[in-house]
Amino acid sequence: MPFVELPTGVTLYYDDLGEGEAVIALHGWMGTARAHLGWIMDWLAVDYRVIGPTRRGYGESRPRPRQYPPDHYERDARDVLALMDVLGITRAHLLGYSDGGEAALLAAGYAPERFLSVAVWGAVGYFGPEMRPVIQRMYPADYITEEEIERNGITDANAFALGWITAAKSILDRGGDLSLSLAPKITCPLMLMLGTEDSLNPEAYGQKFVDQAPNAQLVMFQCGHAIHDLLPDQFQRVLGAFLERAGARR
């Protein structure tokens, strides 16, 4: 699959599958589009053109390893919009998982006219105070696998995790708003999907976001963070129906 140089100063590797309306799919922490969202992209490519960028600093995208300044989600959102410009994509459906979901909500808030619909899971646009102890438990990084270390060019797993933790605490310290204040600007169909056992993304936070967006819904699943892997059949039904409805509205 191809690489693309963006005016935001990065070179992204991306998957490009299928034909039709564009769907952009953003993976989560330490993943790539193929590693995290491979089956979703293959499924959607039957009916859509699916673009799966590997976000800056992960996988084959450069520069790496990933760095975590306090605005790293905002950088990813700007990368999405720049990628659309370079590829000549005027409007697209936007999907995002976990950290990729946070970037998706920001991109939709920055440029709502660019998106036909937005669906995210494991993301709520807000870091609340209850998340602080959960974030702290992500150090030490003994949960990072050898595959993830090799895939992302990580030389020190603890330092890598601490970079994300420090950025997350910075977001908390400034009030926790990632994209919540942008929710009223997202006028296209918007769906947040959360697992009831997702300790990083409580249902109340997701409800707060959809209450402030004009055309939004929250769907809960009886599982943890990675809904698409834990309940794939249910996830596919819900997302497929959402995209179909978004298309019918036009």
Side-chain angles (χ1 to χ4, degrees):
M1 289 296 168
F3 291 85
V4 60
E5 293 186 11
L6 301 182
T8 51
V10 295
T11 300
L12 297 188
Y13 177 91
Y14 67 100
D15 290 89
D16 190 345
L17 310 170
E19 297 179 352
E21 284 186 333
V23 175
I24 298 173
L26 306 180
H27 65 86
W29 194 44
M30 293 190 295
T32 65
R34 177 52 55 183
H36 277 179
L37 307 176
W39 78 261
I40 298 173
M41 294 193 299
D42 292 340
W43 160 55
L44 291 175
V46 175
D47 297 306
Y48 300 91
R49 179 189 178 189
V50 183
I51 307 294
T54 290
R55 297 187 294 127
R56 63 163 68 202
Y58 292 120
E60 297 184 63
S61 293
R62 297 293 188 271
R64 75 172 194 172
R66 172 84 170 189
Q67 301 297 313
Y68 293 100
D71 68 341
H72 66 95
Y73 291 116
E74 290 86 346
R75 290 193 318 179
D76 285 338
R78 292 191 291 269
D79 287 345
V80 170
L81 296 172
L83 176 67
M84 292 174 68
D85 289 341
V86 171
L87 296 183
I89 298 173
T90 304
R91 302 184 73 199
H93 300 278
L94 184 59
L95 311 179
Y97 164 54
S98 194
D99 275 11
E102 301 295 2
L105 292 173
L106 279 161
Y110 289 160
E113 72 283 357
R114 303 294 300 271
F115 298 103
L116 301 166
S117 70
V118 180
V120 304
W121 59 107
V124 291
Y126 174 70
F127 281 11
E130 298 89 345
M131 292 172 64
R132 192 177 294 271
V134 179
I135 290 168
Q136 187 59 50
R137 287 197 293 271
M138 296 181 72
Y139 186 92
D142 48 11
Y143 52 86
I144 297 180
T145 67
E146 289 299 322
E147 179 183 5
E148 290 168 332
I149 288 171
E150 182 177 357
R151 176 196 299 146
N152 298 302
I154 299 171
T155 56
D156 185 330
N158 281 332
F160 186 84
L162 189 59
W164 186 91
I165 292 167
T166 301
K169 288 182 175 179
S170 175
I171 294 166
L172 282 167
D173 291 343
R174 70 182 189 231
D177 182 15
L178 277 174
S179 58
L180 181 61
S181 59
L182 297 174
K185 296 184 178 182
I186 305 175
T187 55
C188 68
L190 168 65
M191 180 170 64
L192 267 62
M193 296 174 280
L194 297 175
T196 55
E197 300 169 23
D198 185 347
S199 58
L200 277 172
N201 298 283
E203 180 178 359
Y205 293 176
Q207 189 63 54
K208 188 175 183 179
F209 196 100
V210 301
D211 285 346
Q212 297 190 44
N215 190 12
Q217 64 182 115
L218 173 64
V219 180
M220 299 299 300
F221 293 74
Q222 298 298 313
C223 66
H225 187 66
I227 298 168
H228 61 301
D229 288 332
L230 296 169
L231 293 174
D233 292 341
Q234 184 181 352
F235 175 89
Q236 184 174 348
R237 287 195 300 272
V238 170
L239 179 58
F242 171 77
L243 289 171
E244 185 174 348
R245 289 194 303 271
R249 285 192 178 98
R250 293 192 304 284

